[in-house]
Amino acid sequence: MENTINNLNNIISKFYLSIKSDGYTIISNISDININIFNKQPLKLLYLEGNFKILMILVNVFIFAIVFYYAFKCILSLYSSTNIQNIYLFIIKLIIISILSINSFNICKEIIKFNYFISYFVQEFLEEISNEKMEYIFLEDNISSLDDFFKKADKVSLNGIKDLIVCSYIIFLIIFLSIRYVIILLCVIFSPFVFICLINDKTRVIFDYWIKIFTLNLSIQTINKVLIFIPIISKNENDIYFAILIGSILIMYKINKYIGEVKIFGKNK
């Protein structure tokens, strides 16, 4: 029985070693989102003069369609009692929303910059009070320190369980943060069209959903700083560090689940 457990532990340990070398680096690269995201693909491609003009043409077509629809409703109102939006109010809203739509990338850039400033301030504060670096890659040394604890305690099976949970932790973070990265990219790319949705009360719900998803995914950056702060400052507490690590995973899962349940009408499942 003991040989079987040892063999299982060896398999899990090899699997852990195979993914941890690059796992923490990948996590560090995609966890902190700042304005440099605009210098990377695909946003860098969109910023090229030719592609940006094509995007603006599509935005203008979308605006023209809204104007055409409003004109059509005005004509129908002449033959029915249908109430329509005041034309002067419509024109003012259209001008403001068109300006917001054309400058949507810059607006998103400022939102990302502000969010990064908040997360950076939190990171600096946590590093100041703990004298530790608040980065995922530094978790590797802390987790590795558990090996000596399990070996000294002769907890062979627990060592395998530890490696398995840490592997799950790394894989989960890579998947979770990758999805978050893609969502933020999509929010920026579709932002010109989302701002246009403010023109109508019925389509405004799309903008409300967009801003909620965009800000929630950005705010996770600050929350993550706090989540990795707890395991890092607890690195000397070998007896409870394992439980703290599992707790961090569960909290991250709950956050991911909450964002996944955000509905377009602002209600949870």
Side-chain angles (χ1 to χ4, degrees):
M1 182 64 180
E2 185 176 343
N3 289 334
T4 303
I5 294 175
N6 286 331
N7 291 333
L8 184 61
N9 285 339
N10 289 332
I11 294 173
I12 295 173
S13 296
K14 289 179 181 178
F15 177 65
Y16 170 57
L17 291 173
S18 66
I19 68 170
K20 82 168 186 176
S21 57
D22 296 323
Y24 291 105
T25 303
I26 295 173
I27 291 170
S28 297
N29 290 336
I30 62 178
S31 60
D32 287 346
I33 294 179
N34 52 41
I35 57 174
N36 290 332
I37 194 174
F38 290 89
N39 298 324
K40 300 176 182 178
Q41 301 294 0
L43 293 182
K44 184 179 180 180
L45 184 64
L46 281 176
Y47 260 122
L48 294 176
E49 185 177 354
N51 294 334
F52 189 75
K53 285 183 178 179
I54 294 174
L55 181 63
M56 288 301 102
I57 290 173
L58 292 175
V59 171
N60 290 330
V61 169
F62 204 67
I63 293 173
F64 177 78
I66 293 173
V67 174
F68 180 80
Y69 176 71
Y70 179 79
F72 180 73
K73 286 181 66 177
C74 288
I75 295 172
L76 286 180
S77 67
L78 297 175
Y79 302 96
S80 64
S81 58
T82 305
N83 293 323
I84 62 170
Q85 190 177 57
N86 181 276
I87 186 170
Y88 299 108
L89 179 61
F90 175 79
I91 292 173
I92 293 172
K93 286 178 64 176
L94 186 64
I95 293 173
I96 295 173
I97 290 171
S98 298
I99 294 172
L100 290 174
S101 179
I102 293 171
N103 294 281
S104 61
F105 279 7
N106 291 328
I107 294 172
C108 289
K109 183 182 288 187
E110 292 304 315
I111 294 174
I112 291 174
K113 186 188 295 185
F114 177 75
N115 178 77
Y116 181 76
F117 171 78
I118 296 296
S119 65
Y120 180 78
F121 174 80
V122 171
Q123 178 176 337
E124 288 290 304
F125 174 74
L126 294 177
E127 289 179 351
E128 182 69 24
I129 63 176
S130 64
N131 293 321
E132 297 284 351
K133 285 288 185 180
M134 295 299 119
E135 296 179 12
Y136 289 99
I137 196 166
F138 289 98
L139 282 174
E140 180 179 356
D141 295 334
N142 298 345
I143 293 171
S144 298
S145 67
L146 287 172
D147 292 339
D148 295 334
F149 169 71
F150 284 119
K151 288 175 182 178
K152 289 177 182 178
D154 199 26
K155 299 177 180 179
V156 181
S157 60
L158 286 180
N159 194 42
I161 294 172
K162 182 269 294 183
D163 287 341
L164 182 62
I165 291 178
V166 172
C167 285
S168 303
Y169 179 73
I170 295 172
I171 294 171
F172 171 77
L173 277 177
I174 291 174
I175 294 173
F176 170 68
L177 293 173
S178 297
I179 293 173
R180 169 182 173 265
Y181 189 88
V182 171
I183 289 174
I184 291 173
L185 275 178
L186 292 175
C187 284
V188 174
I189 292 171
F190 288 103
S191 61
F193 305 98
V194 173
F195 276 101
I196 295 174
C197 293
L198 287 168
I199 195 71
N200 188 283
D201 291 337
K202 293 181 179 179
T203 56
R204 183 187 176 89
V205 68
I206 298 175
F207 174 82
D208 293 340
Y209 175 69
W210 173 85
I211 194 67
K212 182 183 293 185
I213 291 297
F214 190 42
T215 54
L216 275 176
N217 278 279
L218 285 175
S219 64
I220 289 174
Q221 189 162 307
T222 303
I223 297 173
N224 285 346
K225 301 295 183 183
V226 179
L227 287 177
I228 66 173
F229 168 73
I230 299 173
I232 286 178
I233 63 170
S234 306
K235 63 180 181 179
N236 296 322
E237 304 292 336
N238 285 327
D239 293 323
I240 62 172
Y241 183 75
F242 199 37
I244 291 172
L245 186 63
I246 296 174
S248 299
I249 297 172
L250 290 176
I251 293 173
M252 187 71 72
Y253 170 76
K254 288 293 184 180
I255 294 172
N256 184 34
K257 184 180 178 183
Y258 169 75
I259 293 176
E261 288 177 348
V262 174
K263 291 269 193 162
I264 195 165
F265 296 106
K267 298 179 181 178
N268 290 343
K269 290 180 180 178

